[in-house]
């Protein structure tokens, strides 16, 4: 008998009996820890205590213990293999899945057509050197209106029917769902010194009576460039290049005068209607005008340049706000904007 307990034969018998009784993966793992565990497995402790055995017995005892260890490891491995084989066999019964059948493919999702169009627009402007950032969808009225020269009582506030947040701050409604991305012109200028060249994509909300080209939730892409010597021709050149990239060489592009309090002068850009090609019919999509408006733009008002702390005698800029759903309509010939948000998979799967 070696120091610390049972003789080798007794130890072997005990270990093998315990292994035979170890039922299940957890019990087998416990058995392994108990007998062969590195820290305090019974056999490990015996091997570690070899130094205490009489010198003349040490070699023989060490050999026997190592043989026992090898035997127990083999037996344990065999039990594990056996358990694995039985698990696989259980799976091949009648109710088991046929592992030889080809897998069922997961239905792959895809990007919404408006998101695809937005990404493409962002990529075009990024190539021209515009940096992207995002602004808040829940916006302060101070940014959405006042900072862009639309004070309370200014008739321009009526241009967009606003969705307000009910919470009162100091007794007043001060927050809203932004009606356009233009407040981010201010945020961009607050953050940096000129030259500034940014785009700001995002959702906007308006209390609209919807029709073929108007939704109550719309996606805009704001653009702003401020530097020394920025001119109207830079704005037109930038927007022409953008429209050519998105719509190709054959489409007609028109600019006409418009009014936005934060630019002077202001313009709108429109593309020829893909449905009626301006044939004078009562087209529902372009309302018989032959044109679909895609963006508002203009030269940043000097007062806004000054409010940002820039010198309007030195710095000038242009800004634009693209309607992304309109761009998507024109690209793919979609006659009604409301298709985008009805979640009809037959429509969405086409893109
Ligand atoms: C604006 O929102 C201005 N902030 C744009 C701007 C930016 C002007 C910078 C000057 C300088 P407007 O309301 O026209 O303007 O909207 C801009 C574009 O958004 C429109 O040309 C149109 O393409 C799109 N849009 C406007 N209202 C809707 C709507 N209800 N549904 C879908 N698209 C819309």
């Amino acid at each position: 008998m070696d120091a610390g307990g049972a003789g080798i034969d007794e130890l072997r018998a005990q270990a093998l009996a315990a292994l035979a009784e170890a039922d299940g993966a957890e019990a087998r793992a416990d058995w392994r820890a108990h007998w062969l565990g590195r820290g305090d497995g019974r056999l490990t402790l015996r091997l570690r205590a070899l130094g205490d055995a009489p010198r003349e017995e040490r070699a023989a005892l060490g050999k026997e213990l190592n043989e026992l260890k090898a035997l127990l490891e083999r037996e344990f491995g065999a039990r594990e293999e056996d358990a694995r084989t039985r698990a696989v066999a259980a799976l091949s019964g009648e109710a088991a899945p046929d592992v030889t059948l080809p897998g069922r493919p997961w239905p792959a999702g895809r990007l919404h057509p408006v998101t695809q169009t937005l990404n493409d627009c962002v990529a075009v402007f990024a190539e021209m050197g515009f940096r992207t950032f995002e602004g808040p969808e829940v916006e302060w009225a101070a940014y959405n209106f006042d900072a862009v020269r639309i004070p309370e009582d200014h008739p321009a506030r009526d241009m967009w029917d606003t969705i307000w947040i009910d919470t009162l701050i100091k007794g007043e409604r001060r927050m809203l769902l932004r009606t356009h991305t233009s407040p981010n012109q201010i945020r961009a200028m607050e953050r940096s010194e000129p030259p500034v060249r940014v785009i700001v994509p995002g959702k906007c909300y308006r209390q609209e009576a919807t029709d073929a080209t108007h939704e109550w939730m719309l996606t805009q892409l704001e653009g702003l460039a401020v530097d020394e010597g920025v001119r109207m021709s830079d704005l037109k050149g930038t927007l022409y290049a953008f429209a050519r990239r998105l719509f190709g060489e054959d489409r007609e592009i028109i600019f006409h005068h418009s009014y936005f309090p934060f630019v002077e002068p202001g313009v709108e850009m429109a593309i020829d209607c893909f449905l009626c090609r301006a044939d004078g019919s009562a087209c529902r999509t372009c309302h018989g005008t032959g044109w679909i408006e895609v963006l508002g733009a203009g030269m940043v008002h000097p007062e806004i340049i000054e409010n940002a702390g820039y010198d309007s005698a030195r710095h000038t800029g242009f800004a634009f706000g693209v309607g992304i759903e309109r761009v998507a309509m024109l690209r793919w010939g979609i006659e009604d904007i409301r298709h985008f948000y009805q979640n009809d998979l037959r429509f969405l799967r086409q893109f």
Side-chain angles (χ1 to χ4, degrees), residues 160 180 182 185 206 208 213-215 218 220 222 260 262-263 293-298 319-321 323 326 337:
W160 304 300
H180 56 166
S182 293
Q185 292 179 26
R206 299 178 184 181
E208 291 271 10
T213 51
H214 292 84
E215 257 293 3
L218 57 139
Q220 285 193 344
E222 192 78 14
F260 303 96
F262 33 95
V263 289
E293 179 203 319
V294 286
L295 60 87
F320 54 84
R326 301 268 181 97
I337 197 172

Side-chain angles (χ1 to χ4, degrees), residues 97-103:
D98 180 351
V99 291
T100 63
L101 283 176

Side-chain angles (χ1 to χ4, degrees), residues 45-46 175 184 268 298 310:
L45 293 178
R46 286 297 181 88
M175 295 178 101
N184 296 299
E268 275 171 2
Y310 301 174

Side-chain angles (χ1 to χ4, degrees), residues 38-56:
R38 281 183 185 209
D40 58 357
R42 282 184 64 184
L43 213 60
T44 314
L45 293 178
R46 286 297 181 88
L47 280 161
R48 214 175 281 151
L50 260 182
D52 302 336
R55 184 188 292 268
E56 60 282 8

